[in-house]
Amino acid sequence: MEKIRLKQAVVVEGKYDKINLSKLIDGVIITTDGFGIYKNAETVRLIRFYAKNGGIVILTDSDTAGQQIRGRIKSLVDNADIVNVYCPVVFGKEKRKSKPSKEGKLGVEGVDTAALRAAFERAGLIGDEIVKREKVTKADLIMLGLSGAPDSSQLRKELARSLELPENLSSAALRDAVSTLFGRERFIEYFKDFTGRK
């Protein structure tokens, strides 16, 4: 399988994620050491450097901890060039572990390279080029009932499941994800098809 060449640095959680991703990516891969991102100033400086010089790709596990770490990374780099890649939600156990994770989901280290390649392709990362897509806005989510309505949380969960994204995405995280995966116009079309709206 040909490796994906990236100008951006890819940020993952741990060393086993990096080992697995190295089979697929030809480029810089930075590890946060999980929640070490909250206290390791050297890692923070490195991420900020790459965010300002070429951009970063964030690929965390699809569990709650992965979403928290993704949020922390985003908060560290302000409005830098970020591409969000989402690990597919796959239930199982990593080979090196004796039991599944708390949520029972495979992390980046356990997902096969074909599924990870598909995740990078969905995010618009092809070689050195990033497909630029118009961002979905907060107002779009309100208009579609994905934010601010009584059933918004449940609707977001159902939509996330249909897209093989983590179910517990906040409205802001979902907005980032669908902006990366679709762009505004295509997402609104997808959502209307998903809900059967006209």
Side-chain angles (χ1 to χ4, degrees):
M1 183 181 287
E2 186 179 339
K3 287 191 172 187
I4 300 171
R5 290 186 177 179
L6 297 174
K7 66 176 182 180
Q8 302 92 341
V10 183
V11 184
V12 295
E13 292 178 52
K15 68 179 182 179
Y16 293 104
D17 298 338
K18 181 176 181 175
I19 290 167
N20 192 29
L21 196 59
S22 295
K23 300 172 195 169
L24 178 65
I25 298 297
D26 180 4
V28 174
I29 302 172
I30 301 168
T31 64
T32 67
D33 296 321
F35 287 109
I37 191 66
Y38 286 90
K39 55 189 173 193
N40 190 325
E42 189 175 313
T43 301
V44 169
R45 278 195 299 275
L46 187 62
I47 290 170
R48 284 179 170 155
F49 171 81
Y50 279 105
K52 290 178 183 174
N53 298 279
I56 59 171
V57 174
I58 304 174
L59 173 63
T60 56
D61 295 349
S62 59
D63 59 8
T64 303
Q67 295 309 307
Q68 290 172 347
I69 293 166
R70 181 184 299 271
R72 174 65 175 161
I73 296 164
K74 287 175 61 181
S75 74
L76 293 171
V77 296
D78 298 319
N79 293 320
D81 186 10
I82 299 171
V83 177
N84 288 290
V85 175
Y86 292 88
C87 183
V89 178
V90 179
F91 289 90
K93 177 186 78 65
E94 278 89 4
K95 290 177 185 176
R96 71 178 180 87
K97 295 181 179 175
S98 60
K99 59 182 182 177
S101 69
K102 185 178 177 183
E103 294 179 27
K105 298 172 184 174
L106 291 179
V108 172
E109 75 171 89
V111 175
D112 68 59
T113 51
L116 288 174
R117 177 180 284 278
F120 275 81
E121 288 172 358
R122 285 178 70 191
L125 289 165
I126 305 162
D128 296 84
E129 298 177 26
I130 298 176
V131 177
K132 292 291 183 185
R133 296 177 171 137
E134 183 183 0
K135 292 186 176 186
V136 176
T137 67
K138 195 182 276 190
D140 292 329
L141 294 189
I142 292 168
M143 173 192 72
L144 297 171
L146 288 162
S147 181
D151 62 344
S152 293
S153 179
Q154 183 60 34
L155 187 55
R156 282 196 308 273
K157 280 184 183 180
E158 291 169 11
L159 178 66
R161 260 187 243 125
S162 80
L163 296 170
E164 298 179 349
L165 292 170
E167 290 181 14
N168 58 349
L169 293 176
S170 66
S171 58
L174 179 67
R175 193 172 72 240
D176 286 345
V178 296
S179 291
T180 297
L181 298 174
F182 292 99
R184 183 177 184 273
E185 192 173 316
R186 279 188 54 229
F187 168 65
I188 291 171
E189 286 174 19
Y190 177 89
F191 183 78
K192 286 178 179 177
D193 288 343
F194 170 73
T195 57
R197 297 180 186 177
K198 293 185 178 181

